[in-house]
Amino acid sequence: MTIVGVPAGWPASEEEARAVQDELRGRVVLGQPGPPPGTGRVTGVDVAYDDELDLVAAAAVVLDAATLDVVAEATAVGRVSFPYVPGLLAFRELPTVSAVLDRLPCPPGLVVCDGYGLAHPRRFGLASHLGVLTDLPAIGVAKNPFTFTYDEPAPARGSSAPLLAGAEEVGRALRTRDGVKPVFVSVGHRVSLAGALAHTLALTPRFRLPETTRRADALCRQALREAARGRPGAPTRPDGTPSAPPPPGR
DNA sequence: GCGACAG
DNA sequence: ATCTTGTCGC
């Protein structure tokens, strides 16, 4: 199995990573409506980690937006490319996520990320970054409010309240199920906030989290288990010799 | 300076 | 993210 490495020139420090965000931020396209909800394809991407083994597994699951049926899937396994630092999540996930999108047999359509887009300290979260690198329409749907504030949306599914960075609205707290904790939606690239909300609702007919995220989450965990199975911490055969040569760096 | 902080 | 048993409910 090929292991995705860390790209040459990938930021090695937090300072460098923040500079990259400041540089790429200007390439985000806002104000486009984005694809009509319920049409075309919607792709969920997610990542799972094994820091012990220095492995990261990414999955992309393409759904028919109208039926939510799975149209295509792909996985990719890579090495951890950056530590988890709030505000720099993209540098941890992007190399493997880009690789997994490249492996899809069809165009992804709208990409739904597990995390934020505009709702970010420098307004350039994972969904924005991925959108800029691929030029695909992208949105972020997160499970937590991060550092932002919001008022509780009304209890009915579909209700939302502004997600605020001070007085600036950077996204919405959206109730996807009656009486259940909201999700936090923000714009990534080439999609409006209204479009992002509509897509999120179309993807949550039954559960709090989008079908895209749920499918991608299950798949990347499975891919990680399979990758880790082949690479135990101290790989040995019954006779004690190494079971596999060290994987070539990339 | 301290605490909080997407995944 | 990940560590983790049982438990309540559809």
Side-chain angles (χ1 to χ4, degrees):
Chain A
M1 171 197 291
T2 304
I3 294 197
V4 178
V6 181
W10 199 247
S13 69
E14 299 184 20
E15 301 65 40
E16 213 176 324
R18 286 188 207 99
V20 170
Q21 292 181 329
D22 289 334
E23 162 68 27
L24 295 180
R25 183 173 42 198
R27 310 229 274 251
V28 172
V29 173
L30 301 176
Q32 286 192 353
T39 67
R41 269 119 191 227
V42 190
T43 296
V45 294
D46 194 18
V47 166
Y49 302 95
D50 187 321
D51 287 299
E52 290 295 297
L53 297 179
D54 184 38
L55 288 180
V56 82
V61 180
V62 184
L63 304 185
D64 179 297
T67 62
L68 304 188
D69 289 333
V70 176
V71 171
E73 297 179 334
T75 61
V77 175
R79 323 237 71 132
V80 173
S81 55
F82 209 85
Y84 172 65
V85 178
L88 300 178
L89 177 66
F91 295 94
R92 186 166 169 76
E93 308 207 331
L94 233 32
T96 318
V97 167
S98 300
V100 84
L101 287 175
D102 287 341
R103 291 187 181 189
L104 284 174
C106 63
L110 174 76
V111 178
V112 179
C113 296
D114 197 354
Y116 282 118
L118 227 203
H120 178 273
R122 285 166 296 284
R123 306 294 177 267
F124 195 69
L126 173 64
S128 314
H129 203 148
L130 180 63
V132 163
L133 293 191
T134 61
D135 201 33
L136 293 167
I139 67 174
V141 180
K143 299 181 282 298
N144 300 294
F146 200 11
T147 62
F148 306 105
T149 61
Y150 66 100
D151 289 324
E152 205 61 34
R157 161 175 156 90
S159 305
S160 71
L163 186 63
L164 301 172
E168 179 184 359
E169 179 173 5
V170 294
R172 297 287 265 273
L174 174 67
R175 194 88 69 185
T176 56
R177 306 298 307 158
D178 289 353
V180 170
K181 174 181 174 174
V183 297
F184 304 89
V185 179
S186 59
V187 156
H189 185 60
R190 310 204 326 171
V191 186
S192 66
L193 181 54
L197 294 169
H199 276 107
T200 303
L201 284 175
L203 290 166
T204 50
R206 188 162 160 73
F207 300 105
R208 173 184 176 236
L209 296 180
E211 254 352 92
T212 39
T213 301
R214 291 166 42 78
R215 292 304 227 303
D217 179 73
L219 185 56
C220 70
R221 290 192 198 214
Q222 178 192 322
L224 182 64
R225 284 194 300 271
E226 290 171 2
R229 165 158 40 86
R231 298 168 185 69
T236 56
R237 290 182 297 198
D239 65 7
T241 59
S243 62
R250 173 114 305 231

